[in-house]
Amino acid sequence: MRDVLTRPYVSVEERDRFLAHLVRQSLLIDIVGSLRVCRDPKDDHVLELALNGAATHVVTGDDDLLALNPFRGIPIVRPADFLDIVRADA
């Protein structure tokens, strides 16, 4: 994420403020076990994190992950769809 945020579309101040907020709000999740289910094996860690962290949703634009929707009861949705869900629940 830090690599993406060093690209020129955000200022250093915005990046640092975002990362500080993210760290304050984050939980570290221990991963127990590994999965080999996604057609792109590099994406399996996202599913491992979702399961071990008891995620309510996986929010992604990655077609390899979206193809698994839902995964073990966890909806996998695009960002715009997630915003619709959040707005409907508000």
Side-chain angles (χ1 to χ4, degrees):
M1 182 179 304
R2 185 180 300 274
D3 291 339
V4 171
L5 291 173
T6 59
R7 295 179 186 161
Y9 46 75
V10 296
S11 71
V12 172
E13 294 80 17
E14 288 173 309
R15 180 198 67 211
D16 290 347
R17 193 169 47 249
F18 171 78
L19 289 173
H21 180 75
L22 181 65
V23 167
R24 285 191 306 274
Q25 298 298 317
S26 296
L27 297 173
L28 294 178
I29 304 297
D30 292 321
I31 304 299
V32 179
S34 61
L35 298 172
R36 299 291 176 256
V37 296
C38 193
R39 62 188 180 200
D40 181 353
K42 293 181 290 188
D43 292 333
D44 284 325
H45 72 279
V46 174
L47 301 172
E48 292 166 357
L49 182 61
L51 287 175
N52 285 271
T56 60
H57 294 78
V58 171
V59 182
T60 183
D62 186 297
D63 289 331
D64 295 318
L65 288 168
L66 288 163
L68 297 171
N69 181 43
F71 179 72
R72 297 191 185 175
I74 302 171
I76 302 175
V77 298
R78 294 188 180 281
D81 296 329
F82 183 71
L83 289 175
D84 289 342
I85 293 166
V86 170
R87 288 179 186 129
D89 289 344

